[in-house]
Amino acid sequence: MTLAMPNERLRAVMASGGWTHASLADATGVDTKSVERWLNLGRTPRRATALQAAEVLGEDVHALWPALRQPRAARAVSPELVALYEQRADMPVSVLIDFMARARQDIDILVYAAVFLHEAYPRLNDLLRERAAEGCTVRIAVGDADSENVRQRGREEKFGHGIESRCRLALMHYQPLSGVSGIELRTHGTTLYNSLYRADDQLLVNAHVWGVNAYAAPVWHLRKSNDNGNLFKTYADSFDAVWETARPVTG
């Protein structure tokens, strides 16, 4: 059975332009329930309606609904790219939490600290325990506060020792999960080019930009594709590579 997936790209474009379900429905001549299905169930409208919606939203129709792309047509974006946030701060934390809540097989978190997760959603550990109890494999890798790469990141971001303190705080947040069946916590000292958040076939990539704090750097939302896509696999393999170098946290 294919699970309905929300159209996060459409949601982001509507939010940035101040569009509501009702206003977009009025502009395209459909009812609000249709717009809700486009957003929440990932439904693709008829081509004429999609073209009209894309025009009023000022977005490429194939970026909003890749399924409308004609065979052999030139591809402006990868079908794996669902949404692009200019800054992580633009992405509602609920997007990430919803991913994890729907996960049935895999949850992977690769960060230096990302303490914003626990600050914005204090029930995160409870959610991860629940997912593990339902059969998910949960892997969490946070930065080793004593590693040179973490210290270098602090210097590059002009964050000083703050990044090291946040790594320790992140470890404290996740420490109660150590020893929980289905959950493994590790620390790593790699040069982290991207923070990764995976839930089954969904992946959020928070790019790291030199001299810029992660919250001000872009995030792209990827969805694993059967269309010979390699973006998702590239980042998933990157997580696995870092995981192999990371040290288990015990006790």
Side-chain angles (χ1 to χ4, degrees):
M1 181 178 66
T2 301
L3 295 176
M5 301 303 301
N7 189 331
E8 297 296 347
R9 181 191 289 277
L10 177 59
R11 193 186 307 279
V13 171
M14 288 177 61
S16 67
W19 289 88
T20 64
H21 294 179
S23 62
L24 185 57
D26 287 342
T28 54
V30 301
D31 57 40
T32 56
K33 291 292 186 182
S34 294
V35 177
E36 291 173 6
R37 286 191 287 268
W38 300 348
L39 282 167
N40 300 324
L41 300 180
R43 298 283 177 80
T44 301
R46 294 179 179 178
R47 181 173 295 276
T49 304
L51 288 169
Q52 186 177 0
E55 182 177 357
V56 299
L57 292 171
E59 178 61 277
D60 178 73
V61 67
H62 297 132
L64 293 173
W65 293 287
L68 292 174
R69 196 179 305 281
Q70 294 288 349
R72 304 179 182 276
R75 197 159 70 190
V77 296
S78 167
E80 293 180 281
L81 182 60
V82 176
L84 174 64
Y85 300 92
E86 185 175 340
Q87 298 182 335
R88 192 191 72 198
D90 297 331
M91 181 190 72
V93 175
S94 59
V95 171
L96 216 167
I97 299 304
D98 288 346
F99 279 2
M100 295 184 190
R102 292 196 303 267
R104 294 296 180 268
Q105 295 179 313
D106 302 292
I107 294 177
D108 293 332
I109 299 173
L110 172 61
V111 296
Y112 270 158
V115 293
F116 76 94
L117 282 175
H118 281 94
E119 292 169 351
Y121 190 72
R123 283 199 68 254
L124 179 62
N125 283 6
D126 293 333
L127 173 60
L128 295 175
R129 287 190 189 95
E130 291 165 5
R131 291 293 85 229
E134 292 293 328
C136 265
T137 297
V138 180
R139 299 184 295 177
I140 305 165
V142 300
D144 180 350
D146 296 321
S147 76
E148 175 55 31
N149 283 323
V150 167
R151 290 194 290 266
Q152 179 63 30
R153 178 68 184 280
R155 291 191 290 268
E156 292 169 355
E157 291 187 352
K158 300 180 176 59
F159 209 179
H161 295 294
I163 184 67
E164 298 162 39
S165 299
R166 292 176 77 81
C167 285
R168 292 189 173 92
L169 180 57
L171 188 57
M172 288 175 59
H173 281 312
Y174 288 116
Q175 190 82 42
L177 298 176
S178 180
V180 174
S181 178
I183 300 178
E184 188 170 359
L185 175 62
R186 297 185 181 184
T187 59
H188 70 95
T190 59
T191 301
L192 195 62
Y193 299 106
N194 303 279
S195 295
L196 304 177
Y197 308 90
R198 177 184 179 179
D200 291 344
D201 291 344
Q202 306 286 320
L203 182 63
L204 291 169
V205 181
N206 185 187
H208 289 188
V209 180
W210 196 95
V212 176
N213 293 113
Y215 67 81
V219 173
W220 40 94
H221 169 192
L222 302 178
R223 181 185 299 155
K224 189 175 182 181
S225 170
N226 294 324
D227 188 25
N228 297 319
N230 290 313
L231 271 177
F232 185 99
K233 185 177 186 301
T234 295
Y235 288 106
D237 288 349
S238 173
F239 179 95
D240 290 338
V242 174
W243 186 254
E244 289 303 314
T245 72
R247 296 185 302 175
V249 174
T250 58

